[in-house]
Amino acid sequence: MGLLLIIGIILLVLWALGLFAFSLGGLVHIVLVLAVILIIIWLLKAVFRAF
């Protein structure tokens, strides 16, 4: 597993905790966007050997 994927998964888990367990407001959505971006970059690297 790549570092980007691990960071993305951790951010997704933190997003889920923030959404369902805590009330963090807009910070939760920022974490979600960062996680999705990192996972997309990881997929591009894995599939197309880009970057």
Side-chain angles (χ1 to χ4, degrees):
M1 292 173 81
L3 183 62
L4 288 175
L5 181 61
I6 293 170
I7 293 172
I9 290 172
I10 290 171
L11 288 175
L12 281 174
V13 169
L14 290 175
W15 170 78
L17 285 174
L19 185 64
F20 299 115
F22 306 108
S23 178
L24 297 177
L27 182 63
V28 171
H29 300 291
I30 294 171
V31 170
L32 174 64
V33 170
L34 287 174
V36 169
I37 290 171
L38 288 175
I39 291 173
I40 289 172
I41 291 172
W42 176 81
L43 283 173
L44 287 173
K45 281 185 167 184
V47 173
F48 298 111
R49 300 285 182 212
F51 307 108

